[in-house]
Amino acid sequence: MSKQTKVRRLTANDIRARKGDDPIVALTSYHAHTARIIDPFVDFILVGDSLGMVMHGYETTIPVTVDMMVLQGRAVMRGASESLVVVDLPFGSYEESREQAFRTAARVMKETGCGAIKLEGGARMADTIGFLVERGIPVMGHVGLTPQSFNTIGGFKVQGRDPAAADSIRDDAKAVTDAGAFAVVVEAVVEPLARSITDAITVPTIGIGASPACDGQILVLEDMLGLSDWTPKFVQTFGNLSTHIEGAVRDYADAVKSGAFPSMDHVYKPKT
Ligand code: KIV
């Protein structure tokens, strides 16, 4: 369905139905204003826990809390009217048990109004994903590089380079699909593995640093715009916003300091 003819917000089922069809376009957003700008161009918006690094300057996503996700999820829901909004469950809020995951996911969905949640992990999360889906919570999976496991993986590294690791990531993608996930984010894997996962599962693969051999792509908006201090090697930028902002701020500072700051008198109506 083209974005121009959409009359309602997309759902998880709409995204699932796009397997092998038109490529799915997705970006992250954490704010009402960026959500409003990207909404007409994307199929879903992820309120990613990357907000911990991008907005708050943390080195990893581990410190992110459910309160942070709810606050930014609400903001994005106010900005977006057509795309599906998916909100990440942050580290420590769902891994302990399927009941804990349900409580967190239900809170996020009630308090933000989002249409789905995303959680990280493959086979080990399959039982939890099934539990959530059976109880009315659409779940997006996330395999390959899972940033919440930064401390056990040992950094933000390409995953699945050797055949055994590649098989295990493919098995993870199959397990979350069989459990009922409507789509699976595949992060930082080489193209042959991305292709074999896309061929092996019945729901869309959404790549990030995982080559074009996926059913769709997602990027962190600030990385894509060239606004982030640091971006992973695999990020393709489509803008250079840092330079534009620096230029505008320099012009503003020059105007203030040089006395060339414009008078606003002409915009105020004289009192009658
Ligand atoms: O948190 C996030 O932004 C993500 C994307 C990188 C997929 O999980």
Side-chain angles (χ1 to χ4, degrees):
M1 183 192 288
S2 109
K3 294 290 291 185
Q4 282 70 29
T5 58
K6 270 199 307 189
V7 290
R8 62 174 175 87
R9 200 187 275 283
L10 288 181
T11 65
N13 285 342
D14 294 323
I15 301 295
R16 184 205 308 270
R18 293 271 295 275
K19 175 74 185 175
D21 204 338
D22 243 9
I24 297 165
V25 182
L27 282 168
T28 62
S29 166
Y30 323 119
H31 322 100
H33 54 70
T34 54
R36 192 169 298 119
I37 294 168
I38 68 177
D39 189 47
F41 304 99
V42 299
D43 298 297
F44 74 87
I45 297 178
L46 173 69
V47 185
D49 62 351
S50 53
L51 66 82
M53 300 170 75
V54 176
M55 282 180 73
H56 295 275
Y58 290 123
E59 283 182 12
T60 70
T61 56
I62 290 167
V64 174
T65 64
V66 179
D67 287 347
M68 288 159 85
M69 299 309 302
V70 165
L71 198 63
Q72 304 320 134
R74 277 190 193 142
V76 169
M77 284 298 292
R78 285 192 286 267
S81 57
E82 299 180 31
S83 318
L84 170 68
V85 175
V86 182
V87 178
D88 259 344
L89 299 192
F91 178 69
S93 72
Y94 64 95
E95 303 90 327
E96 192 180 336
S97 66
R98 53 198 205 165
E99 288 79 11
Q100 183 207 23
F102 181 79
R103 273 193 300 278
T104 306
R107 178 182 165 203
V108 166
M109 292 197 71
K110 272 170 181 292
E111 294 186 19
T112 66
C114 71
I117 60 93
K118 176 167 82 58
L119 54 79
E120 295 184 7
R124 72 185 162 85
M125 293 312 302
D127 177 56
T128 297
I129 292 172
F131 190 80
L132 298 187
V133 173
E134 276 171 16
R135 284 159 180 76
I137 297 179
V139 179
M140 179 175 283
H142 185 154
V143 302
L145 174 60
T146 47
Q148 292 174 12
S149 305
F150 177 88
N151 288 308
T152 45
I153 294 173
F156 298 115
K157 298 176 186 163
V158 176
Q159 301 296 303
R161 280 198 186 277
D162 64 78
D167 287 349
S168 151
I169 294 174
R170 195 178 315 100
D171 288 348
D172 278 340
K174 284 187 202 161
V176 302
T177 304
D178 292 346
F182 68 91
V184 182
V185 169
V186 180
E187 180 162 357
V189 304
V190 292
E191 183 156 350
L193 176 55
R195 179 164 295 110
S196 77
I197 295 172
T198 300
D199 290 345
I201 67 174
T202 52
V203 299
T205 49
I206 310 296
I208 172 160
S211 85
C214 294
D215 298 297
Q217 299 291 330
I218 185 161
L219 283 173
V220 170
L221 178 65
E222 284 78 354
D223 293 349
M224 187 276 275
L225 293 174
L227 191 58
S228 303
D229 289 345
W230 171 87
T231 54
K233 269 193 290 195
F234 56 72
V235 169
Q236 205 182 343
T237 53
F238 290 81
N240 192 351
L241 218 53
S242 293
T243 308
H244 285 293
I245 292 176
E246 272 166 28
V249 173
R250 194 175 303 113
D251 290 349
Y252 166 69
D254 287 349
V256 173
K257 286 184 193 156
S258 68
F261 201 71
S263 160
M264 288 295 121
D265 281 356
H266 63 287
V267 298
Y268 300 133
K269 289 203 175 89
K271 276 196 177 151
T272 51

